[in-house]
Amino acid sequence: AQKVTQAQTEISVVEKEDVTLDCVYETRDTTYYLFWYKQPPSGELVFLIRRNSFDEQNEISGRYSWNFQKSTSSFNFTITASQVVDSAVYFCALKAPTQAGTALIFGKGTTLSVSS
Amino acid sequence: GAGVSQSPRYKVAKRGQDVALRCDPISGHVSLFWYQQALGQGPEFLTYFQNEAQLDKSGLPSDRFFAERPEGSVSTLKIQRTQQEDSAVYLCASSLVGNIYGYTFGSGTRLTVV
């Protein structure tokens, strides 16, 4: 069965701290995609990144970086020098298999609170 | 439009009432999904359309839930005889077929059944 686990329910940090959000997934498919979404208080899900199961390169985008480790079925997300605007709920999601029409399986989310 | 539009933004229904939630996807987006997000949870899949065809409705929790997309654009999710456990945010997402970069989500409709 497909499953995504985000063990951290809530994280609170002070501005400029680095923070890592954990994501562990389960799938028997050999080809899959992993995603991170941000959900601000307004409610919409904002796409942050997609990772292909065949590509284990880590990725950095500004203050955001992602560490994909197939060996541990993890896809962790790090925010460097956090800012108040980063406060939101963050969801990790799995799409397996990768065909169009396959729904995303979401974790329960991690609520990040960044205080000034 | 520029994004996925959902209406109403908020809906309060008395238990037993029927409700209809609307999703207006991005123009040209062939794929359309509905998700249900309970408080404090991640979104859960309800149903999938490719154009007007409903290809997967395995996530609909009961036969009180019905979705349609008759002309392959706007979609409506209907819930009959609402119950308190139906209270949730209903999210709609759309994409081009084969778009591997995920989906564009709307802001959702928050349904509260009292």
Side-chain angles (χ1 to χ4, degrees):
Chain A
Q2 330 284 18
K3 187 178 178 182
V4 175
T5 301
Q6 295 180 254
Q8 305 149 307
T9 306
E10 295 183 20
I11 300 177
S12 295
V13 299
V14 178
E15 242 185 342
K16 297 185 183 177
E17 280 186 39
D18 298 348
V19 58
T20 296
L21 309 181
D22 298 334
C23 173
V24 173
Y25 63 92
E26 295 176 30
T27 180
R28 291 182 180 175
D29 288 278
T30 55
T31 304
Y32 50 89
Y33 295 130
L34 294 163
F35 299 82
W36 276 94
Y37 282 86
K38 175 181 180 180
Q39 189 174 45
S42 52
E44 78 277 18
L45 285 164
V46 178
F47 168 81
L48 296 178
I49 190 171
R50 176 200 64 88
R51 214 71 187 130
N52 184 314
S53 55
F54 293 122
D55 181 3
E56 289 192 67
Q57 277 193 328
N58 290 331
E59 183 158 340
I60 298 175
S61 175
R63 295 184 297 107
Y64 295 168
S65 62
W66 290 269
N67 182 358
F68 176 32
Q69 294 200 340
K70 223 168 171 179
S71 59
T72 56
S73 297
S74 65
F75 186 43
N76 297 338
F77 172 32
T78 297
I79 302 175
T80 303
S82 58
Q83 300 176 1
V84 172
V85 294
D86 296 328
S87 297
V89 183
Y90 290 86
F91 290 98
C92 180
L94 167 70
K95 179 180 167 111
T98 57
Q99 288 89 334
T102 303
L104 297 178
I105 306 295
F106 287 86
K108 292 188 176 182
T110 297
T111 300
L112 174 64
S113 299
V114 183
S115 57
S116 57
Chain B
V4 177
S5 177
Q6 291 188 246
S7 61
R9 189 77 175 88
Y10 302 94
K11 176 69 179 178
V12 178
K14 289 185 179 178
R15 191 169 51 185
Q17 199 174 8
D18 297 349
V19 298
L21 312 180
R22 176 188 168 105
C23 172
D24 203 334
I26 292 173
S27 179
H29 276 196
V30 170
S31 294
L32 186 145
F33 290 81
W34 283 98
Y35 287 84
Q36 179 190 57
Q37 185 177 14
L39 189 64
Q41 302 295 314
E44 292 189 355
F45 168 74
L46 292 176
T47 187
Y48 166 66
F49 288 87
Q50 185 170 313
N51 293 307
E52 69 279 4
Q54 188 175 21
L55 299 184
D56 187 350
K57 53 181 181 180
S58 61
L60 295 176
S62 77
D63 58 7
R64 297 186 296 103
F65 285 71
F66 171 77
E68 60 182 6
R69 194 185 185 197
E71 296 178 359
S73 54
V74 172
S75 177
T76 304
L77 176 67
K78 298 179 179 178
I79 308 173
Q80 298 176 325
R81 305 180 303 282
T82 53
Q83 300 177 6
Q84 283 193 317
E85 60 263 31
D86 299 336
S87 296
V89 174
Y90 291 85
L91 292 164
C92 176
S94 71
S95 78
L96 297 167
V97 172
N99 181 353
I100 59 175
Y101 291 96
Y103 312 95
T104 302
F105 282 83
S107 295
T109 294
R110 181 177 297 278
L111 172 65
T112 303
V113 181
V114 297

